[in-house]
């Protein structure tokens, strides 16, 4: 009997590790999708380049459903107006799910804008924007998407900046059934990124370079429909489903409130004019 129990525990541990770990080296877990001559992958390091001929992008080889996705990123320095460095997870198709970090460049001396958004079943328009409390071009900083069946949390250097909770039972869509790959890109968005497209890219400052390193996906590997149940279960190893991750701690709430009080510059839930007073239903629900 004891032998059977030991074997069962070993099997459970192997399953848990397979679900929760992914080969973290960028060179083994990601590949270039466009701008092949403008992206360089070397072991743990990724360099994305944008010039007048092309931008560049990479994506993960695997899809995930729930867990923690993180990357260290050093953004384009100097006059980066009109450029966007994107880091996000997304499924595919017209009814895709997506969780975004987008970093909107600006003229020299002006702060970057961190643009966050979430798409559910193909519908977005849930933007929140922030300034950063440091120079994101001077060094690498950690940007993490934590995502489980209860909530999504965007983190910057371990500080939560935004939360989106699951109210699916009340008719509000939540991304919990589609596996999502990890993407990062650097591209020309001067038709909208800087002051609504008023400031264009200064190509004299090109090539623009964003650097990434230490990609980590401590997440559930998506292997088709069976993963919808497996990744949401309380099985051994599904650490993201532990009750401690169902809501921010009081300390994390304090950090969240500090960021939002001092650095938040746009919240779609306060943009009454945009929605003609018909605010999205999640705006009336507690998120924290």
């Amino acid at each position: 009997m004891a032998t059977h129990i030991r074997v069962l525990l070993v099997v459970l541990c192997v399953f848990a590790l397979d679900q929760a770990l992914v080969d973290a080296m960028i060179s083994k877990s990601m590949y270039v999708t466009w701008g092949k001559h403008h992206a360089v992958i070397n072991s743990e390091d990724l360099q994305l380049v944008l010039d007048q001929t092309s931008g560049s992008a990479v994506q993960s080889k695997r899809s995930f459903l729930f867990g923690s996705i993180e990357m260290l990123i050093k953004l384009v320095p100097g006059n980066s107006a009109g450029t966007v460095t994107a880091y996000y997870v997304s499924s595919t198709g017209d009814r895709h799910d997506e969780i975004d970090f987008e970093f909107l460049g600006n003229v020299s001396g002006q702060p970057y804008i961190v643009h966050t958004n979430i798409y559910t079943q193909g519908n977005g328009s849930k933007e929140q924007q922030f300034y950063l409390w440091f120079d994101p071009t001077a060094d690498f900083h950690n940007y993490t998407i934590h995502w489980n069946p209860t909530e999504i949390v965007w983190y910057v250097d371990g500080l939560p900046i935004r939360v989106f909770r699951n109210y699916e039972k009340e008719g509000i869509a939540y991304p919990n059934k589609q596996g999502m790959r990890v993407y990062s890109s650097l591209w020309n968005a001067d038709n909208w990124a800087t002051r609504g497209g008023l400031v264009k890219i200064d190509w004299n400052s090109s090539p623009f370079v964003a650097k990434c390193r230490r990609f980590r996906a401590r997440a559930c590997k998506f292997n088709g429909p069976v993963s919808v149940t497996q990744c949401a279960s309380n099985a051994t190893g599904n650490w993201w489903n532990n009750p401690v991750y169902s809501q921010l701690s009081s300390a994390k709430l304090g950090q969240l409130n500090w960021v939002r009080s001092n650095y938040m510059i746009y919240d779609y839930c306060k943009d009454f004019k945009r929605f003609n007073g018909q605010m999205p239903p999640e705006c009336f629900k507690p998120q924290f």
Side-chain angles (χ1 to χ4, degrees):
M1 182 66 176
T3 301
H4 288 302
I5 292 174
R6 283 196 296 270
V7 171
L8 178 60
L9 288 174
V10 169
V11 171
L12 286 174
C13 287
V14 169
F15 173 77
L17 287 172
D18 180 68
Q19 288 294 96
L21 299 179
V22 67
D23 196 328
M25 292 183 66
I26 291 177
S27 60
K28 292 185 177 181
S29 57
M30 307 190 88
Y31 64 95
V32 179
T33 54
W34 53 272
K36 292 185 182 297
H37 299 293
H38 288 70
V40 179
I41 296 178
N42 181 18
S43 186
E44 281 267 41
D45 298 310
L46 164 66
Q47 181 171 284
L48 296 170
V49 178
L50 166 67
D51 62 22
Q52 282 182 287
T53 63
S54 179
S56 48
V58 297
Q59 74 174 50
S60 65
K61 296 176 182 178
R62 285 191 172 273
S63 298
F64 306 96
L65 182 66
F66 306 137
S68 186
I69 309 294
E70 64 180 275
M71 184 99 82
L72 297 182
I73 303 175
K74 185 178 181 181
L75 296 176
V76 176
N79 184 357
S80 57
T83 71
V84 168
T85 304
Y87 164 59
Y88 61 101
V89 295
S90 180
S91 59
T92 58
D94 293 338
R95 297 180 63 79
H96 75 290
D97 293 336
E98 184 174 322
I99 306 168
D100 295 343
F101 271 110
E102 290 185 301
F103 305 94
L104 314 187
N106 219 323
V107 295
S108 298
Q110 298 298 314
Y112 262 83
I113 291 175
V114 180
H115 177 97
T116 67
N117 199 4
I118 175 172
Y119 286 76
T120 54
Q121 298 294 305
N123 294 315
S125 301
K126 298 177 176 63
E127 303 92 342
Q128 291 185 358
Q129 295 182 338
F130 308 81
Y131 287 138
L132 290 169
W133 48 96
F134 52 83
D135 180 358
T137 72
D139 204 351
F140 289 89
H141 292 268
N142 184 300
Y143 303 94
T144 296
I145 296 168
H146 181 79
W147 164 43
N148 64 28
T150 304
E151 65 179 10
I152 299 163
V153 186
W154 290 252
Y155 288 94
V156 176
D157 286 339
L159 273 64
I161 65 171
R162 178 178 182 179
V163 179
F164 186 87
R165 295 191 66 79
N166 184 353
Y167 287 103
E168 187 177 45
K169 291 182 179 179
E170 299 181 41
I172 299 170
Y174 187 82
N176 57 9
K177 297 178 179 64
Q178 300 185 59
M180 297 201 269
R181 296 181 187 269
V182 185
Y183 298 83
S184 186
S185 60
L186 175 59
W187 50 291
N188 174 1
D190 70 2
N191 63 324
W192 68 272
T194 306
R195 295 182 59 205
L198 294 177
V199 182
K200 302 301 181 181
I201 287 181
D202 178 7
W203 293 110
N204 292 320
S205 299
S206 68
F208 303 99
V209 178
K211 297 180 179 181
C212 307
R213 65 172 50 157
R214 213 189 77 183
F215 166 64
R216 295 289 184 269
R218 296 182 298 118
C220 195
K221 298 174 185 176
F222 186 78
N223 296 309
V226 66
S227 295
V228 174
T229 299
Q230 288 179 344
C231 295
S233 76
N234 292 320
T236 303
N238 284 8
W239 62 270
W240 50 86
N241 293 332
N242 189 298
V244 72
Y245 297 108
S246 65
Q247 192 163 12
L248 295 181
S249 67
S250 57
K252 289 298 180 185
L253 278 173
Q255 294 172 348
L256 178 83
N257 288 328
W258 176 78
V259 171
R260 296 174 73 83
S261 296
N262 292 282
Y263 297 99
M264 189 175 195
I265 58 173
Y266 178 79
D267 181 358
Y268 76 109
C269 280
K270 296 180 180 178
D271 196 342
F272 298 99
K273 183 177 180 180
R274 173 184 177 184
F275 295 102
N276 295 317
Q278 300 297 314
M279 304 305 294
E282 66 271 13
C283 294
F284 301 99
K285 303 294 182 183
Q287 298 292 337
F288 314 137

